Amino acid sequence: MKKRLLASTMLCLTAGAALAQEPVKIGFITTLVGPAGYLGQDVRDGFLLAAGSDPALGGIPVEILIEDDALKPANGRQAAERFLNDEGIRLITGVVFSNIASAVVPEVVDSGAIFVSPNAGPSEFAGADCHENYFVMSWLTDTMQGSAGMNAKRLGYKRAVVVAPNYQAGKDAIAGFTRYFDGEIVAELFTPLGHAEFSNEIAQIRSVAPDVVFQFQPGASGIAFLKQYAQAGLDIPLVVSEPSLDHAILKAVGDAAVGVQVSGAWNADLPFPVNAEFVKTFVDTYGRMPTMYAAQGYDTAQAIGAALKAVGGSLDDTAAFRAAMLRADFDSVRGNFSFGPNQHPVQDWYAIGIEKKADGTLDLVTGEKLAEGLGDPFAADCKLPPAE
């Protein structure tokens, strides 16, 4: 009887061990060092905040492996290859910059794995070359910068100079602004990625004397541009999207941001309970205000969690995971959120102003809605099979 009881106990213990779920490995490739490092740090920290101290997404235990691409496409590609071939990872996220995405995304989706972008949204993967294993949680670059074009049109400007880095996202930025701006582009000025000295561009702006300047310079380049623009004493209005003036840039440039018109899909003051809780928890955890990069990292984790929960934590059936992702069954910090036909966001866009608070500090304050439920212009060219 004693032996039988012991055998029964051992069977129960074995069954319990079999039921214990192995963590789902998630490969996280992002930019953590250099002048643009805070972008990747915020994406990472937003993602990890959603996963919690005992990492789980949608109740499914996860193991998050993080690699720094150092803003080098070759590093990103090598990290993806290690994740796919050495770690057997089938789900990769984290990428911030479009040039890194261009190197990483084909490696991932061609292997049959899934890529979920928390930030980079180049046009090259949004239209005819879209892929069923590729999702974007942030925005299409064209549409993000298009919101600045909408804002410039709303404000009545007619002649614009546009300034952007000379890589895919910069080209998409100018195309997007132009698409939604009902006016004349009098000069296009392209700079190297990571540019820090803008005296030549500012001199050209002064000579052309437009009604408005649109600039897309994310991270430290955005800080340098705004400071130098203010120091030059130009009184030509600036219209930008949020990557060029987020909470981190605002803190760094101070009064140089006064008067700049901003636009974006997220802000810390959006009146959604999940957003208020996210901002509070992020500040309490990390001791700083989140940027839109942190918000997108958080949403990315929540979306992945909802999909993992729906498939019981298994990535064996990519079609089932895809169908679960497309339901977008989570509460976004941005409010309205769904996926379009090309698995890019359909969401609302807002005008955002700079206001000085009672204590003298500056804040990004959401104004009127520029667009509601807006997708992107490339979705019609994407022909994906229907989700099962």
Side-chain angles (χ1 to χ4, degrees):
M1 182 70 177
K2 193 172 183 180
K3 287 182 179 178
R4 194 176 299 167
L5 182 62
L6 180 60
S8 176
T9 302
M10 291 299 294
L11 280 171
C12 289
L13 289 172
T14 303
L19 290 171
Q21 188 166 21
E22 286 292 318
V24 175
K25 287 186 177 183
I26 299 175
F28 200 97
I29 303 168
T30 199
T31 305
L32 297 172
V33 298
Y38 86 83
L39 282 67
Q41 292 163 20
D42 258 24
V43 170
R44 175 200 63 194
D45 291 350
F47 194 94
L48 294 179
L49 186 70
S53 56
D54 188 12
L57 295 174
I60 305 298
V62 295
E63 181 183 355
I64 304 164
L65 285 70
I66 300 173
E67 289 269 0
D68 180 14
D69 58 46
L71 198 47
K72 296 178 180 178
N75 290 1
R77 185 185 298 109
Q78 290 164 8
E81 290 171 350
R82 283 195 299 273
F83 284 155
L84 295 167
N85 301 325
D86 299 340
E87 297 287 346
I89 290 175
R90 310 308 297 159
L91 176 58
I92 292 178
T93 185
V95 172
V96 170
F97 285 90
S98 292
N99 59 335
I100 308 298
S102 296
V104 169
V105 171
E107 291 287 334
V108 175
V109 299
D110 288 350
S111 76
I114 300 153
F115 184 90
V116 184
S117 176
N119 190 71
S123 61
E124 62 184 302
F125 303 130
D129 291 330
C130 61
H131 196 283
E132 58 190 10
N133 287 2
Y134 174 71
F135 298 84
V136 173
M137 288 297 306
S138 52
W139 26 261
L140 188 76
T141 302
D142 182 289
T143 311
M144 165 60 89
Q145 311 309 332
S147 71
M150 297 175 210
N151 211 13
K153 179 180 178 179
R154 176 184 73 91
L155 294 165
Y157 299 123
K158 299 298 182 185
R159 301 174 66 253
V161 168
V162 292
V163 187
N166 191 17
Y167 78 123
Q168 185 63 52
K171 296 171 184 177
D172 284 349
I174 288 179
F177 178 87
T178 303
R179 188 187 310 278
Y180 293 96
F181 174 58
D182 188 20
E184 178 188 3
I185 306 300
V186 295
E188 292 183 359
L189 307 179
F190 285 101
T191 66
L193 181 60
H195 201 46
E197 209 292 306
F198 294 94
S199 58
N200 182 55
E201 288 77 19
I202 290 171
Q204 292 181 69
I205 292 167
R206 194 190 300 275
S207 68
V208 174
D211 297 338
V212 67
V213 173
F214 162 72
Q215 65 94 0
F216 166 59
Q217 297 287 339
S221 293
I223 293 171
F225 185 95
L226 288 174
K227 285 184 174 180
Q228 292 167 36
Y229 196 87
Q231 290 165 1
L234 268 70
D235 59 0
I236 301 169
L238 278 170
V239 175
V240 304
S241 64
E242 201 166 3
S244 299
L245 186 48
D246 57 31
H247 287 83
I249 293 175
L250 180 61
K251 184 177 180 180
V253 303
D255 286 347
V258 173
V260 179
Q261 298 290 328
V262 191
S263 59
W266 176 85
N267 195 17
D269 65 358
L270 287 180
F272 311 118
V274 65
N275 188 50
E277 180 63 23
F278 158 69
V279 173
K280 180 182 184 304
T281 307
F282 190 95
V283 172
D284 289 346
T285 303
Y286 300 113
R288 68 183 191 275
M289 278 292 290
T291 63
M292 64 169 216
Y293 303 103
Q296 291 163 186
Y298 187 83
D299 266 2
T300 299
Q302 297 286 59
I304 289 173
L308 286 175
K309 181 178 180 180
V311 297
S314 173
L315 295 175
D316 292 340
D317 187 343
T318 55
F321 183 85
R322 176 187 174 223
M325 277 289 294
L326 288 175
R327 288 196 289 272
D329 188 18
F330 72 102
D331 290 331
S332 171
V333 296
R334 286 166 271 180
N336 296 329
F337 181 96
S338 61
F339 284 110
N342 57 354
Q343 302 179 171
H344 286 60
V346 175
Q347 59 191 335
D348 303 340
W349 293 89
Y350 302 89
I352 301 171
I354 311 297
E355 291 187 10
K356 186 164 286 190
K357 298 189 292 188
D359 62 1
T361 59
L362 299 173
D363 198 9
L364 291 162
V365 178
T366 303
E368 69 179 75
K369 190 177 287 186
L370 296 170
E372 185 168 352
L374 184 66
D376 66 78
F378 299 94
D381 296 326
C382 174
K383 308 300 181 185
L384 291 177
E388 297 179 1

